[in-house]
Amino acid sequence: VVDAEGQPLEAVVSVVEYDYREGESFRTHPTTGRYDYFLHSGGSFTLRVTHESYGWREFRVVCDAGRCPVSLNLTPISSPAN
C-alpha cells in the first residue's frame, strides 16, 4: 500500500469476503507498505484498505492460487474548503 507519490503506508487491510470472527486486524508493514495474504485457490476478492489520513478504499483483485503481487495506491482525504 502506497501513497500518491509511491511512498509506503502503514494501513489496516482486510479481505471483505472473509468473516473475521475474532475481531482480527491486519496491518501493512510500516516501512514497506507490504501485506501478505496466501490464497488457497484462485479467484477474485475485495481488499479494504483503511488509513486515518486516507480514509478507506476497496480494491477488487483477481488472482491465481499462491502469490499475486498488486500495488494499491491511496490518496488523502480532501479537506473541505473554508
Side-chain angles (χ1 to χ4, degrees), residues 58-69:
E58 290 185 349
F59 299 88
R60 193 77 177 150
V61 179
V62 178
C63 292
D64 294 327
R67 191 162 189 246
C68 176

Side-chain angles (χ1 to χ4, degrees), residues 2-68:
V2 296
D3 65 13
E5 285 79 39
Q7 296 302 308
L9 291 172
E10 182 178 8
V12 175
V13 179
S14 62
V15 178
V16 173
E17 294 81 4
Y18 182 77
D19 183 19
Y20 294 96
R21 296 180 183 195
E22 301 296 323
E24 300 93 335
S25 177
F26 303 96
R27 292 190 161 278
T28 60
H29 190 276
T31 58
T32 65
R34 184 175 175 162
Y35 169 78
D36 291 310
Y37 182 79
F38 184 78
L39 300 173
H40 295 283
S41 62
S44 63
F45 57 97
T46 307
L47 293 177
R48 176 177 283 174
V49 180
T50 306
H51 185 282
E52 70 178 39
S53 298
Y54 293 79
W56 65 271
R57 185 164 170 210
E58 290 185 349
F59 299 88
R60 193 77 177 150
V61 179
V62 178
C63 292
D64 294 327
R67 191 162 189 246
C68 176

Side-chain angles (χ1 to χ4, degrees), residues 62-81:
V62 178
C63 292
D64 294 327
R67 191 162 189 246
C68 176
V70 294
S71 181
L72 308 176
N73 300 338
L74 295 181
T75 55
I77 299 171
S78 299
S79 57

